Each structure stands twice: as C-alpha cells, then as structure tokens.
C-alpha cells in the first residue's frame, strides 16, 4: 500500500468518533426502539477501516435481527468517486457529493440491502443519518437519527457528558412525528449545494417554500428554486398519520414519514422529471435539513442538499367561535 496515498475529501470531513441514538421503525412507521451507536472511519497506513459498535434497545423481531452481538469492522476502498465497502459486515458502495454520501450496500448479518444517506451539516454541528432497509425492493424497516462528532471522547469527561446529554435528547426526540406547521402560514428559506451526475459541485440553489394550511391535515405549498435549477411548483399536501400525498396541480406523489424524517417522491406534471427527497425536522423551530435528488428520464440529473429555516407568518387556523 503506497505511503503517499491520501484520504478522500469525504474521509477527511468525517474524521473523529461519531455518536448517535438512531431510532428503529418497522416498515409501516411504528417506532420500536433505539440503537446506541459509536462509529468511525479511520485512515491509517494508506488503508481505510470503518468500525461501528451498536447496542439495540428495541421490541419485536427486528431487535433479534439487528443485534448480531459483534463489533462491525470492515474495509473501505476510499475515493471521492466511490467508497467501496469490502466486508465482511457491509458490501457495496457509497457515492460522495461534498458533505453528503448516498450509499447502497448489503449487510449479510442483517440480511438487508440498505440505502443510507449521511449528511454532515457544519452550521448545526450534526450529521443527519438514515438507512432504509430492504429485502430486494421490499422495505422491512428504517433507521434514522442525528449524530455528533468528538475528537477526545475517550479522555475528556466533559466531552463524554456532552455525548450523554445529546443521546438522552435523541431518545426523546427520535420518535416525534414529522409535520409542517399546522396552523400558521409562513416561508421556509435556505441555500442548497448542487452537484451534477458526475458528482461535481456546479453551484447553488436558493430554495423557498411558501406554506399555507388549509385545515389540520391539508396545506398548499409552492416550491420556488433559483440558481442552477430554476423551477416553481405548487401542490396541495395531505397527511394521514405518517402517510403523505401531493395532489398537484403541478406536482403529484406521496411519501411516508418515520419519526422526524419524511421520504417522498414527487412527479412534475407533463414531463419526465421527478424529485426524490429526504426531509428532516431537527429542532422545535422547524429547521429542516433536506436532501433532494432530481431525476430526468429516470436518470440522476442533480443532487442537492441544504438547510431550510422557518419564518412564521399569519395564524390561519385560529380559534373558531359561534356568536
């Protein structure tokens, strides 16, 4: 192995030990427990090794399925084009886009094929993580949750306490349901990085979502994008439990939420263009971390991601009185 081999940009961005308490959901969205995780991807002597320690606290058959009783320790062929996982715990690849990696890989021990999206968000001091777990094309469960990174966890009691406090909060917040503001109109605003299908950063998008409740389960939303992508769509949204739908007139589709995370697919009316999205509400102020992938003619066109901040407006659904 060459001594002058350098770690990829993604590998450098995730240096340190990451700590989280991802929630575990059944395929229908039922929250069944947690997985306390410490993990790191370490570059040494020209090689990259990824290790992960897990401790599940869940109910039902998924707990037995995922608690295999051994530390994960697997090789990675590291690059900024593809990260190739070489086993024994995970076999497959990750596709980096700056501070986000979209991975598709297989776990022999869990017998699931995973789509894992990891997004490092420096402005929030978080990594936003999720794994959708499949047998073939059939979803069998979901992991998701937030992580924080440390560089001195083994030796610093103050750092250790911060991690303990963070994990306790994650255990409280992990099963909160995804929702938009129910009674107030307002605007989400933010800026997303934009990568093309060659994983090249080609600019940014200014993203604005105008949100207006219609009733407690329906709202009208207009998405405006300016920059590399210049588009505008309006659609009525509905929510029934953790089931979401988009009813047009300009975008149609659906999604399911698992705790604070909403995964959805929306089709642009009258053209071969659609949007896959993972949207995560990370605090009580409706701050939303988004990963949006645009597909044209069923092929990847742009991968974009960023943070949307909520600006509250008029209360639409105030108290109703009969005089």
């Amino acid at each position: 192995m060459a001594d002058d081999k350098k770690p990829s940009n993604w590998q450098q961005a995730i240096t340190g030990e990451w700590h989280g308490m991802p929630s575990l959901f059944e395929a229908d969205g039922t929250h069944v427990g947690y997985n306390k995780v410490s993990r790191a991807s370490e570059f040494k002597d020209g090689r990259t090794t990824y290790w992960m320690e897990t401790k599940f606290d869940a109910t039902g058959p998924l707990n037995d399925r995922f608690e295999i009783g051994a530390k994960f320790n697997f090789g990675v062929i590291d690059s900024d084009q593809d990260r190739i996982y070489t086993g024994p715990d995970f076999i497959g690849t990750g596709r980096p886009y700056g501070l986000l990696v979209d991975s598709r890989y297989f776990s022999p021990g869990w017998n699931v094929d995973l789509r894992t999206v990891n997004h490092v968000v420096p402005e929030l001091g978080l990594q936003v993580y999720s794994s959708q777990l499949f047998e073939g094309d059939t979803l069998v469960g979901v992991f998701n949750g937030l992580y924080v990174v440390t560089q001195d966890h083994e030796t610093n009691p103050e750092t250790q306490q911060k991690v303990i406090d963070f994990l306790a909060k994650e255990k409280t917040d992990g099963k909160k349901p995804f929702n938009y503001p129910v009674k107030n109109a307002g605007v989400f605003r933010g800026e997303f990085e934009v990568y093309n299908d060659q994983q090249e950063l080609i600019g940014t998008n200014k993203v604005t979502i105008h949100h207006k409740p219609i009733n407690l389960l329906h709202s009208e939303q207009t998405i405006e994008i300016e920059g590399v992508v210049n588009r505008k769509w309006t659609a009525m949204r509905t929510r029934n439990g953790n089931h979401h739908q988009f009813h047009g007139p300009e975008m149609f589709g659906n999604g399911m939420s698992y705790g604070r995370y909403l995964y959805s697919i929306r089709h642009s009316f009258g053209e071969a263009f659609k949007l896959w999205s993972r949207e995560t509400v990370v605090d009580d102020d409706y701050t939303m971390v988004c990963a949006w992938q645009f597909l044209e003619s069923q092929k990847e066109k742009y991968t974009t991601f960023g943070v949307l901040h909520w600006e509250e407006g008029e209360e639409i659904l105030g108290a109703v009185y009969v005089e």
Side-chain angles (χ1 to χ4, degrees):
M1 192 69 64
D3 292 336
D4 60 351
K5 181 176 173 60
K6 302 296 184 184
S8 68
N9 291 326
W10 170 255
Q11 178 62 37
Q12 295 176 60
I14 60 171
T15 298
E17 184 174 339
W18 293 86
H19 308 267
M21 184 77 74
S23 287
L24 173 59
F25 299 87
E26 293 182 346
D28 66 358
T30 301
H31 183 273
V32 294
Y34 304 90
N35 179 20
K36 182 179 181 295
V37 179
S38 298
R39 55 176 167 82
S41 181
E42 298 176 340
F43 178 85
K44 184 178 180 181
D45 299 329
R47 284 179 170 167
T48 301
T49 303
Y50 202 116
W51 62 264
M52 183 169 68
E53 293 182 336
T54 67
K55 185 175 182 180
F56 283 86
D57 179 11
T59 59
L62 292 183
N63 185 73
D64 293 339
R65 179 173 189 159
F66 294 120
E67 186 61 272
I68 65 173
K71 180 178 179 179
F72 293 79
N73 200 37
F74 58 97
V76 180
I77 301 173
D78 174 43
S79 80
D80 283 310
Q81 189 65 39
D82 294 293
R83 285 170 64 83
I84 303 173
Y85 313 129
T86 56
D89 304 288
F90 296 117
I91 298 165
T93 62
R95 189 164 163 82
Y97 305 84
L99 294 179
L100 181 142
V101 165
D102 187 354
S103 302
R104 316 288 178 97
Y105 55 102
F106 176 65
S107 166
W110 291 343
N111 184 28
V112 292
D113 203 78
L114 298 93
R115 181 179 187 174
T116 295
V117 178
N118 279 320
H119 177 191
V120 176
V121 189
E123 69 177 90
L124 300 178
L126 298 170
Q127 185 179 127
V128 182
Y129 156 85
S130 70
S131 288
Q132 295 165 288
L133 314 167
F134 297 90
E135 287 191 38
D137 287 337
T138 302
L139 185 72
V140 297
V142 171
F143 298 144
N144 62 46
L146 309 179
Y147 281 77
V148 292
V149 67
T150 65
Q151 308 298 334
D152 60 355
H153 184 261
E154 286 190 6
T155 59
N156 190 331
E158 184 178 346
T159 299
Q160 294 167 6
Q161 187 59 51
K162 287 181 179 178
V163 170
I164 290 170
D165 294 341
F166 174 78
L167 296 181
K169 189 173 189 305
E170 275 296 281
K171 199 164 186 178
T172 300
D173 293 348
K175 57 187 176 183
K176 287 184 177 179
F178 179 96
N179 210 343
Y180 284 92
V182 174
K183 295 189 175 184
N184 283 72
V187 179
F188 290 93
R189 298 185 198 274
E191 187 172 271
F192 290 11
E193 290 188 349
V194 181
Y195 290 78
N196 64 15
D197 61 353
Q198 301 302 307
Q199 297 160 270
E200 299 166 328
L201 177 62
I202 57 174
T204 59
N205 283 338
K206 177 185 174 184
V207 177
T208 307
I209 301 178
H210 299 271
H211 170 76
K212 183 179 180 181
I214 297 170
N215 55 45
L216 296 177
L217 299 178
H218 297 70
S219 63
E220 181 185 85
Q221 288 192 343
T222 298
I223 299 173
E224 292 186 68
I225 306 175
E226 300 172 279
V228 175
V229 180
N230 291 280
R231 305 296 294 258
K232 183 177 180 179
W233 297 280
T234 296
M236 184 179 73
R237 300 178 60 110
T238 63
R239 179 183 63 84
N240 181 8
N242 69 324
H243 297 265
H244 300 250
Q245 283 189 277
F246 309 89
H247 296 278
E250 293 161 345
M251 268 197 158
F252 293 81
N254 61 12
M256 286 186 68
S257 55
Y258 295 80
R260 300 164 291 176
Y261 288 63
L262 172 64
Y263 309 82
S264 60
I265 296 175
R266 284 166 271 190
H267 302 263
S268 184
F269 180 74
E271 58 180 328
F273 198 82
K274 65 182 178 182
L275 166 64
W276 174 90
S277 63
R278 185 195 74 178
E279 299 169 341
T280 309
V281 177
V282 299
D283 59 27
D284 293 335
D285 296 322
Y286 293 102
T287 304
M288 192 157 54
V289 178
C290 300
W292 290 0
Q293 188 171 66
F294 295 99
L295 294 95
E296 190 171 77
S297 298
Q298 307 290 359
K299 296 180 291 185
E300 173 190 347
K301 181 76 172 177
Y302 302 111
T303 295
T304 79
F305 49 88
V307 180
L308 294 175
H309 296 279
W310 170 245
E311 300 172 8
E312 188 164 277
E314 176 189 2
E315 184 182 37
I316 302 296
L317 302 178
V320 176
Y321 302 96
V322 176
E323 301 298 341

